[in-house]
Amino acid sequence: MNADESNQIWDAEQYAGNARFVSDLGSPVLDLLAPGPGQKVLDIGCGDGALTARIAATGANVVAIDHSQSQVEAARDRGLEARQLSALELDFEDEFDAVFSNAALHWIKPPDLVVANVARALKPGGRFVGEFGGAGNVGKIRQAAMAALRSRGLDGEFVEPWYFPNAEEYGALLQAADFRVDSVELIPRPTALPGGVAEWIKTLAQDFIAPVPEEERPAFLIDVEKTLEKDLRDSDGVWWADYVRLRFAAMLASAP
Ligand code: BEZ
């Protein structure tokens, strides 16, 4: 499945209100990228460009791409070079010193095509650095949503669009595309949700609600909240998503 086949609609304003944490928590993967003056960097799934702007601020020359026109426009409003383009359709060849991606690669299937396109876009010895949802990501939210769908006679498994691999699987995928894997690890990262779990689903995980008839959605979301409350809501009333990140850094083999 690629992002075209997901029910997700990205709205830059809604994203800024409920999902700013996605870019705010991007510092570790930016540190791993270590961009610098003159480097040519491709940012895959740039969203509204918050992290792209931080890469550009180091003096790197960044091209940002995203599948969503709304997000591309928000990135352009920051003065960035942003194009509406899927990572499945990359036609760059031998152009970039580094390819970067935060919180996007779990949306884009098949992953081996993404990795092959990244390898083609990089110069020999170029780096591929990123972070996205790994095995077990949002497992509790997923189970609660599946149960609420099943209780309405709906098939949740069928609608799930994401790719959440483990470290061994993704490392092998990178190696098969001629990358040397410098690091690949799963990082559990419980993440506070500013608008709670229902807003998170409405903003970032619309595939869970897509099969539910419009008028039943409020009750569906209440069911999900009730199931999750004991595990994911703390004593101050803050909701936490059970995020697990897969973070990696790899280098394309140099030309022989
Ligand atoms: C994530 O960033 O891990 C994520 C976002 C939306 C849906 C599922 C996972």
Side-chain angles (χ1 to χ4, degrees):
M1 180 183 290
N2 66 49
D4 286 334
E5 295 163 52
S6 164
N7 290 289
Q8 180 71 29
I9 295 168
W10 296 102
D11 174 77
E13 218 171 291
Q14 187 187 22
Y15 185 87
N18 289 314
R20 174 55 55 224
F21 64 85
V22 174
S23 50
D24 285 350
L25 296 173
S27 294
V29 67
L30 264 192
D31 291 346
L32 200 55
L33 176 69
Q39 287 180 24
K40 190 157 183 204
V41 179
L42 175 66
D43 182 359
I44 294 180
C46 63
D48 66 6
L51 283 181
T52 322
R54 287 174 61 186
I55 298 171
T58 68
N61 172 6
V62 198
V63 176
I65 63 164
D66 201 281
H67 189 257
S68 152
Q69 185 59 28
S70 168
Q71 297 281 48
V72 165
E73 280 163 17
R76 284 185 186 150
D77 287 346
R78 295 178 187 267
L80 298 164
E81 180 184 343
R83 305 184 198 167
Q84 187 184 16
L85 184 66
S86 162
L88 299 173
E89 290 156 13
L90 289 185
D91 54 2
F92 302 106
E93 211 169 318
D94 209 358
E95 259 188 65
F96 293 95
D97 299 297
V99 174
F100 172 80
S101 185
N102 181 54
L105 297 177
H106 47 256
W107 289 102
I108 317 173
K109 294 193 227 174
D112 50 344
L113 179 55
V114 176
V115 171
N117 286 349
V118 168
R120 198 175 53 246
L122 282 169
K123 297 174 187 168
R127 293 171 303 123
F128 183 23
V129 176
E131 186 174 302
F132 63 104
N137 192 39
V138 295
K140 288 184 173 145
I141 299 178
R142 183 184 171 280
Q143 275 172 21
M146 294 296 164
L149 287 170
R150 267 196 310 276
S151 73
R152 289 167 170 78
L154 298 165
D155 181 0
E157 308 283 339
F158 179 70
V159 296
E160 234 190 16
W162 305 296
Y163 167 64
F164 295 144
N166 62 37
E168 291 70 29
E169 179 184 343
Y170 203 66
L173 206 74
L174 290 166
Q175 281 173 344
D178 227 6
F179 282 98
R180 183 193 77 199
V181 179
D182 293 323
S183 60
V184 57
E185 57 179 334
L186 281 183
I187 303 168
R189 195 200 65 196
T191 300
L193 300 177
V197 76
E199 285 305 316
W200 181 85
I201 291 174
K202 287 196 274 180
T203 303
L204 283 169
Q206 294 158 7
D207 289 277
F208 283 141
I209 39 176
V212 182
E214 192 99 29
E215 64 281 5
E216 280 183 44
R217 289 180 185 174
F220 168 81
L221 289 169
I222 288 169
D223 285 354
V224 174
E225 282 186 332
K226 276 191 189 142
T227 306
L228 290 173
E229 197 155 22
K230 63 180 185 323
D231 285 332
L232 298 187
R233 196 172 193 195
D234 70 19
S235 52
D236 295 323
V238 177
W239 283 94
W240 293 81
D242 51 338
Y243 271 14
V244 178
R245 305 286 89 186
L246 186 143
R247 188 180 301 156
F248 66 92
M251 183 180 280
L252 191 64
S254 300

